[in-house]
């Protein structure tokens, strides 16, 4: 039978539900004049009224949890934890809906401990926004949940950034630990890299974010390392990345389509970047430098062997050079000229090394040195000029 046919009856039932629900909050009514306690910490607010969200609730305005650095909540709607009330009739267990939480990392981590008994044990908080004040900036997170243990202490904050990135914040030994997980990730400032999965762990402190355990998969290999974003003034990124057995063809394809290098890449790199804010940091140029080893590889259209045998000056023909391993150094920045070197190229009687630059469009400039052991035991050494593009290198005898 539709309740719309009996509006008075519906109104009476709604009032009854409100009375029953609010009877589960007997001590909150006195909270405007007496602080109540979470984790032994005083909680104060400036205004209170009844509301429906969508069930009966107390709406508290400008609430503060009084840690050494107060946690601010603009609007809080308190309702009983219905499962506790119905099974154990524990009226001190509450759930909260919050529009915005503003806190420093240490204050949020403080909710993971208790100073004493609580007149109110919060079992769950759903929030629309979380603002973490870190250094000179504010990290803004979208809607999420805060879960609390049986003793009322905070156990975890869970936030979804888009469809594929999950963030977990956990108080640990007075610090705010952070875990980030994602299925697939590409970074505009590092276009060469594409990750199929990433797990990063670390902590957020008063001055920045440290991710000291990074594990990622991509291009058939693994990437590890650590990163630090200092937010004390602007946003400064620094860190180290280690590549293990990445397919170099797929990495370089994103920078220089139709390049001629293949093999498996191991590398140890340092990265640096800075911007006026963490939002701008996402697209800011990144400086990269380090060492690398390329194993079981080859360079196509690379006529080093022909260049060693050429009797006169001029351009030499192409060819395929295979090698067990070459090592070298690399330095560059997003959208800028990169410098690279290689050594240890060994293909039978041919040995080679070189250094060169690569422009963002793939244009090459540099030199390659080779040594060729002749059948009679003699050796021939020669320097060749390297030009052309990453897709079609040109060697010339000077």
């Amino acid at each position: 039978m539709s309740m719309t046919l009996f509006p008075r009856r519906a109104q009476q039932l709604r009032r009854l539900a409100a009375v029953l629900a609010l009877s589960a909050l007997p001590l909150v009514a006195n909270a405007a004049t007496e602080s109540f306690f979470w984790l032994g910490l005083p909680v104060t607010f400036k205004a209170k009224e009844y509301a429906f969200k969508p069930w009966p609730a107390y709406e508290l305005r400008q609430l503060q949890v009084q840690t050494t650095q107060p946690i601010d909540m603009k609007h809080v709607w308190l309702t009983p934890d219905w499962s506790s009330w119905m099974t154990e009739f524990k009226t001190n267990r509450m759930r909260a809906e919050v529009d915005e939480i503003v806190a420093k990392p240490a204050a949020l981590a403080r909710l993971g401990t208790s100073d004493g008994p609580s007149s109110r044990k919060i079992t769950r908080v759903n929030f629309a926004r979380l603002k973490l004040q870190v250094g000179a900036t504010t990290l803004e997170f979208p809607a999420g949940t805060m879960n609390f243990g049986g003793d009322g202490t905070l156990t975890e904050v869970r936030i979804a950034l888009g469809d594929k990135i999950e963030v977990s914040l956990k108080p640990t030994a007075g610090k705010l630990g952070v875990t980030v997980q994602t299925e697939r990730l590409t970074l505009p400032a590092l276009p060469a890299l594409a990750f199929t999965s990433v797990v990063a762990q670390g902590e957020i402190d008063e001055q920045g974010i440290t991710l000291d355990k990074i594990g990622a998969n991509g291009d058939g290999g693994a990437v590890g390392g650590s990163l630090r974003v200092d937010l004390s003034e602007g946003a400064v990124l620094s860190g180290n990345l280690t590549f293990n057995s990445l397919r170099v063809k797929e990495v370089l394809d994103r920078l220089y389509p139709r390049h001629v290098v293949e093999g498996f890449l191991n590398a140890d790199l340092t990265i640096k970047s800075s911007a006026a804010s963490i939002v701008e940091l996402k697209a800011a140029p990144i400086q990269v430098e380090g060492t690398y080893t390329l194993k079981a590889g080859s360079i196509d259209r690379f006529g080093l062997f022909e260049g060693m045998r050429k009797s006169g000056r001029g351009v030499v023909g192409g060819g395929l050079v295979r090698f067990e391993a070459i090592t070298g150094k690399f330095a560059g920045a997003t959208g800028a000229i990169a410098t690279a070197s290689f050594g240890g190229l060994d293909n039978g009687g041919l040995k080679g090394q070189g250094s060169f630059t690569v422009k963002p469009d793939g244009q090459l400039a540099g030199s390659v040195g080779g040594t060729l052991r002749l059948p009679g035991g003699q050796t021939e050494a020669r320097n060749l000029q390297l030009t052309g593009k990453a897709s079609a290198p040109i060697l010339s005898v000077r």
Side-chain angles (χ1 to χ4, degrees):
M1 182 178 297
S2 174
M3 295 303 293
T4 58
L5 299 178
F6 299 95
R8 176 175 293 182
R9 175 68 175 237
Q11 188 177 26
Q12 290 174 341
L13 289 176
R14 187 173 180 177
R15 288 176 177 172
L16 177 60
V19 170
L20 291 174
L22 294 179
S23 68
L25 311 174
L27 297 180
V28 176
N30 296 324
T33 55
E34 296 181 12
S35 297
F36 60 94
F37 291 84
W38 297 351
L39 314 175
L41 299 169
V43 176
T44 61
F45 53 87
K46 292 187 176 180
K48 170 184 67 69
E49 64 181 30
Y50 301 139
F52 287 88
K53 196 171 173 66
W55 297 98
Y58 279 110
E59 179 181 348
L60 310 179
R61 298 177 184 174
Q62 295 183 310
L63 180 143
Q64 281 192 330
V65 182
Q66 300 294 340
T67 68
T68 53
Q69 299 166 316
I71 298 174
D72 292 303
M73 304 181 188
K74 288 186 176 181
H75 294 86
V76 180
W77 293 269
L78 285 177
T79 59
D81 185 319
W82 296 105
S83 60
S84 296
W85 188 40
M86 296 298 291
T87 57
E88 305 173 55
F89 204 70
K90 291 185 176 180
T91 59
N92 69 329
R93 295 178 183 257
M94 317 286 297
R95 288 192 177 189
E97 299 282 338
V98 183
D99 59 350
E100 181 177 283
I101 300 174
V102 180
K104 290 185 177 293
L108 200 60
R110 179 66 187 76
L111 297 185
T113 59
S114 176
D115 277 352
S118 302
S119 59
R120 287 288 170 266
K121 288 187 177 180
I122 306 299
T123 59
R124 184 184 180 96
V125 172
N126 297 324
F127 57 85
R129 292 177 303 280
L130 170 61
K131 294 183 177 181
L132 277 183
Q133 298 172 324
V134 181
T137 191
T138 298
L139 302 178
E140 297 193 17
F141 296 94
T145 60
M146 300 173 69
N147 296 313
F148 295 77
D151 61 353
T153 57
L154 177 66
T155 57
E156 184 180 22
V157 182
R158 296 192 64 86
I159 305 164
L161 301 180
D163 296 331
K164 297 182 178 179
I165 302 178
E166 297 285 338
V167 177
S168 170
L169 306 175
K170 290 185 177 181
T172 305
K175 298 182 178 180
L176 187 61
V178 58
T179 300
V180 181
Q181 292 180 282
T182 179
E183 295 178 9
R184 183 170 179 82
L185 179 66
T186 58
L187 301 174
L190 287 176
L193 301 180
F195 306 109
T196 54
S197 65
V198 178
V199 178
Q201 294 180 322
E203 66 179 47
I204 302 177
D205 58 40
E206 302 304 284
Q207 299 300 323
I209 306 168
T210 299
L211 299 175
D212 53 11
K213 296 179 181 178
I214 298 176
N217 296 319
D219 297 321
V223 179
S226 61
L227 296 173
R228 168 72 179 175
V229 181
D230 189 289
L231 299 171
S232 57
E233 184 176 349
V236 178
L237 169 69
S238 60
N240 302 279
L241 293 178
T242 300
F243 300 167
N244 290 299
S245 299
L246 270 65
R247 293 187 291 264
V248 72
K249 183 180 187 305
E250 296 178 26
V251 175
L252 292 179
D253 272 344
R254 301 185 188 100
L255 295 176
Y256 316 112
R258 301 179 300 281
H259 67 88
V260 295
V261 181
E262 293 196 16
F264 295 92
L265 176 67
N266 293 344
D268 292 299
L269 305 177
T270 61
I271 67 173
K272 297 179 181 179
S273 184
S274 62
S277 69
I278 193 168
V279 174
E280 297 176 69
L281 187 64
K282 296 177 183 178
I286 293 182
Q287 296 178 337
V288 181
E289 63 177 299
T291 60
Y292 72 90
T293 299
L294 191 59
K295 296 183 177 181
S298 65
I299 307 175
D300 199 5
R301 305 180 189 179
F302 194 67
L304 180 58
F305 185 74
E306 288 76 6
M308 297 301 300
R309 298 190 303 173
K310 187 175 176 65
S311 58
R313 296 175 180 271
V315 175
V316 302
L320 178 68
V321 177
R322 298 185 184 277
F323 52 83
E324 287 298 318
I326 60 174
T327 61
K329 296 181 179 181
F330 174 86
T334 310
I337 295 176
T339 62
S341 66
F342 72 91
L345 189 153
D346 192 339
N347 186 326
L350 178 66
K351 299 182 184 297
Q353 69 283 328
S355 60
F356 55 94
T357 61
V358 190
K359 291 183 178 180
D361 63 358
Q363 195 73 37
L364 302 172
S367 63
V368 175
T371 303
L372 180 64
R373 187 173 64 250
L374 301 175
Q378 308 92 331
T379 59
E380 179 77 25
R382 181 170 288 176
N383 286 323
L384 294 91
Q385 184 178 21
L386 174 62
T387 56
K389 301 192 72 171
S391 59
I394 298 173
L395 287 175
S396 304
V397 179
R398 296 175 178 175

